[in-house]
Amino acid sequence: MKALHRMERFLDEHMIPFDLVAHPHSQTSAETARAAGVALDRVAKGVLLDSMDCQMVAMIPADQEIQLGKLRQDVGVEFSLADEASVNRLFPECEPGVVPGLPNAWGVEMVWDDALMAQPDIYLEAGDHERLLHIETRFLREAFGDAPHCHFTQPRMSHVA
């Protein structure tokens, strides 16, 4: 609950209107979108990245995956995917495995993909496996502050079972 309060306070301080959307417990972004009745490309997924000097969260549409080479070209830093233990250490107020949708509310560096701007509204992880913060895309730049943004994703490869 502390994570949600931190993000609500952050949005209130920046005068960004939002709604809270409850959904049945889910573990993945795809499950979250289905459980909340939201299109997958409207869910913003946070991915924790490691570099030699820092950690950074990349915010991307949940139907996309990061092209690390493209991100390196655009940002000038080589990243790798962080493990879940790193996520839990960096965001102890969140439920295990959850990267909050507003990592900057924790003072964590972030980068976001321009593809998030394609939708009229976005749903952000609220710090647990059962709630999302819903904001209109026109407020996204304010919510993400001066974080850099560029296009560094591609459609997720679907795996045939």
Side-chain angles (χ1 to χ4, degrees):
M1 198 63 132
K2 290 180 185 177
L4 174 60
H5 291 310
R6 181 187 287 241
M7 288 185 281
E8 287 175 328
R9 192 169 46 251
F10 179 90
L11 291 170
D12 286 344
E13 287 171 0
H14 290 86
M15 297 188 298
I16 298 170
F18 66 93
D19 298 310
L20 190 60
V21 177
H23 61 81
H25 187 87
S26 60
Q27 289 294 326
T28 67
S29 297
E31 287 177 15
T32 298
R34 274 193 302 276
V38 175
L40 191 57
D41 59 355
R42 289 176 123 155
V43 175
K45 172 182 173 178
V47 180
L48 183 60
L49 303 172
D50 282 327
S51 78
M52 294 291 284
D53 302 320
C54 70
Q55 289 186 306
M56 179 181 277
V57 172
M59 294 301 299
I60 66 172
D63 67 337
Q64 302 282 309
E65 62 186 15
I66 297 173
Q67 292 178 291
L68 290 173
K70 177 80 170 105
L71 184 60
R72 183 183 76 253
Q73 283 178 324
D74 292 343
V75 177
V77 177
E78 186 156 342
F79 289 102
S80 61
L81 299 176
D83 60 17
E84 191 170 317
S86 295
V87 171
N88 298 339
R89 277 192 304 276
L90 197 56
F91 302 108
E93 296 167 283
C94 295
E95 286 186 8
V98 175
V99 175
L102 293 169
N104 47 337
W106 277 259
V108 174
E109 295 282 327
M110 64 178 287
V111 60
W112 56 279
D113 192 276
D114 290 333
L116 290 171
M117 296 301 288
Q119 300 301 329
D121 53 2
I122 292 293
Y123 295 81
L124 305 165
E125 293 287 349
D128 59 30
H129 296 284
E130 297 171 352
R131 290 176 291 193
L132 295 168
L133 291 168
H134 172 234
I135 66 170
E136 292 179 32
T137 304
R138 64 189 174 120
F139 297 110
L140 203 58
R141 290 182 194 274
E142 294 168 56
F144 290 165
D146 59 0
H149 59 94
C150 52
H151 183 68
F152 57 90
T153 61
Q154 66 185 15
R156 285 184 71 112
M157 300 297 183
S158 35
H159 302 314
V160 179

